[in-house]
Amino acid sequence: MLNILFAARPVRWTTYEAPLRAALAKAGLTAHLATDIAPGEVDYIVYAPNSSVQDFTPYTRCKAVLNLWAGVEDVVDNPTLTQPLARMVDHGLTQGMVEWVAGHALRHHLGMDLHIHGQDGEWRDYAPPLAQHRRITVLGLGELGTACASALKSLGFDVTGWSRSPKDVPGIRCLHGAAGLTKALTGADGLVLLLPATPATDNLMNAGRLALLAPGAFILNPGRGPLVDDAALLAALDSGQIGHATLDVFRAEPLPLTDPYWAHPNVTVTPHIASETRPGTASEVIVENIRRGEAGLPFLHLVDRLKGY
Ligand SMILES: NC(=O)c1ccc[n+]([C@@H]2O[C@H](COP(=O)([O-])OP(=O)(O)OC[C@H]3O[C@@H](n4cnc5c(N)ncnc54)[C@H](OP(=O)(O)O)[C@@H]3O)[C@@H](O)[C@H]2O)c1
């Protein structure tokens, strides 16, 4: 019998149990799926990094750890994890991120706040430029960044993307490496951060790089809090170099009440809801990896432990 341990916060079990069982049945896999299995008996761990499983040493039979989250920064460095680690790539997660990024980009592009908050009788007849005259740069051209860049392009924006390795995405100016980053940021009217949190991306958006953007640019950060130097961003917001920052992720979550982001007039805080793994589609992704493991096929979406994502 195949033993699958579900290791996540208890509330997740209530939303994942039925879709996981359905996906297992659909794949023709007979398995014992539970939240409590003797470690030495476990074949696969469906995993959230905030679960109680932090020491993987006793899971001697485990063939793979299947992360429920796209971000793996809280598990990738775990020295007890010797099994393959797969991250979450889920159609529902990607679509949610596309909607969040497109919605917030359009808000800033169209200057919607002026009309939502400015019902004061003044006839402000300024019309925004067309999207094709706005340059938006997306840092990170992975699953999420590529989908968001393509969606922004389909709305008409002039889109540049940046990644570690060279990419070719239709309609997107693709840049990579250190020189590519300077080029990607210089003069951008909007910036979307969809990089993972790794030592190489820590504080990537520092004062110098924020200064490269067009004056008054907007920033959307649905990636990870450490991508941004917070003090530098607050200074750039105060000076007007950055017009608005819409932030979904932070170094400390929930964002402490005393954090200056809450009170800043040009910051929108969203509580790490840009997108989430959807149990229906995510369960099929998890079960596909279990099916592959049982069939002796390579796992999908494996994390490169050296790169950290
Ligand atoms: N707020 C939310 O609700 C939410 C939800 C899901 C995910 N996220 C965040 O979104 C992040 C991105 O997810 P994803 O699925 O798109 O990840 P992914 O497929 O692994 O893509 C990561 C991208 O970042 C690039 N990259 C990584 N390190 C780099 C570096 N040092 N320099 C330049 N480029 C670098 C990669 O370049 P290569 O392609 O060359 O490797 C890749 O294009 C996740 O790590 C997570 O933190 C947030």
Side-chain angles (χ1 to χ4, degrees), residues 224-243:
R224 280 296 184 259
L227 301 175
V228 174
D229 176 336
D230 294 314
L233 177 56
L234 285 162
L237 284 157
D238 288 341
S239 74
Q241 166 59 15
I242 300 302

Side-chain angles (χ1 to χ4, degrees), residues 171-240:
I172 310 296
R173 185 184 310 109
C174 294
L175 301 171
H176 67 280
L181 179 59
T182 301
K183 212 168 164 184
L185 295 175
T186 302
D189 302 302
L191 181 68
V192 182
L193 303 179
L194 276 167
L195 294 161
T198 69
T201 62
D202 195 57
N203 278 331
L204 188 86
M205 288 313 299
N206 56 24
R209 294 197 177 106
L210 289 167
L212 294 174
L213 301 172
F218 68 83
I219 290 188
L220 311 182
N221 185 11
R224 280 296 184 259
L227 301 175
V228 174
D229 176 336
D230 294 314
L233 177 56
L234 285 162
L237 284 157
D238 288 341
S239 74

Side-chain angles (χ1 to χ4, degrees), residues 238-275:
D238 288 341
S239 74
Q241 166 59 15
I242 300 302
H244 199 104
T246 298
L247 308 173
D248 185 59
V249 285
F250 306 90
R251 283 169 198 271
E253 295 180 8
L255 186 65
L257 264 180
T258 51
D259 194 288
Y261 281 142
W262 280 118
H264 201 289
N266 294 335
V267 172
T268 301
V269 170
T270 64
H272 202 144
I273 47 74
S275 190

Side-chain angles (χ1 to χ4, degrees), residues 100-113:
W100 188 92
V101 166
H104 286 279
L106 283 173
R107 168 193 172 195
H108 297 306
H109 161 59
L110 296 174
M112 288 179 178
D113 290 23

Side-chain angles (χ1 to χ4, degrees), residues 60-110:
T60 46
R61 190 170 116 179
C62 178
K63 297 168 203 165
V65 173
L66 307 170
N67 209 42
L68 286 167
W69 304 354
V72 293
E73 68 273 17
D74 292 338
V75 58
V76 73
D77 289 333
N78 187 322
T80 67
L81 179 60
T82 51
Q83 299 85 347
L85 171 67
R87 65 192 200 87
M88 178 50 65
V89 173
D90 160 41
H91 168 73
L93 178 76
T94 304
Q95 180 58 23
M97 187 60 80
V98 164
E99 293 176 14
W100 188 92
V101 166
H104 286 279
L106 283 173
R107 168 193 172 195
H108 297 306
H109 161 59
L110 296 174

Side-chain angles (χ1 to χ4, degrees), residues 87 141-144 162 164-165 167 222 224 248 275 309:
R87 65 192 200 87
L141 281 177
E143 288 295 324
L144 302 178
W162 180 73
R164 181 199 287 259
S165 55
K167 301 274 174 208
R224 280 296 184 259
D248 185 59
S275 190
Y309 66 97

Side-chain angles (χ1 to χ4, degrees), residues 3-29:
N3 287 322
I4 304 170
L5 177 69
F6 185 86
R9 286 187 301 145
V11 66
R12 295 290 175 205
W13 178 239
T14 57
T15 50
Y16 272 95
E17 183 185 2
L20 276 172
R21 290 197 191 287
L24 285 164
K26 193 171 153 193
L29 289 169

Side-chain angles (χ1 to χ4, degrees), residues 92-166:
L93 178 76
T94 304
Q95 180 58 23
M97 187 60 80
V98 164
E99 293 176 14
W100 188 92
V101 166
H104 286 279
L106 283 173
R107 168 193 172 195
H108 297 306
H109 161 59
L110 296 174
M112 288 179 178
D113 290 23
L114 185 65
H115 303 293
I116 293 169
H117 301 297
Q119 298 293 301
D120 54 6
E122 190 178 329
W123 191 254
R124 298 181 180 90
D125 58 358
Y126 160 79
L130 291 175
Q132 71 196 55
H133 300 301
R134 295 261 202 222
R135 290 188 47 195
I136 299 187
T137 288
V138 180
L139 300 189
L141 281 177
E143 288 295 324
L144 302 178
T146 299
C148 291
S150 300
L152 292 169
K153 177 68 193 172
S154 72
L155 287 170
F157 290 107
D158 178 355
V159 184
T160 297
W162 180 73
S163 51
R164 181 199 287 259
S165 55

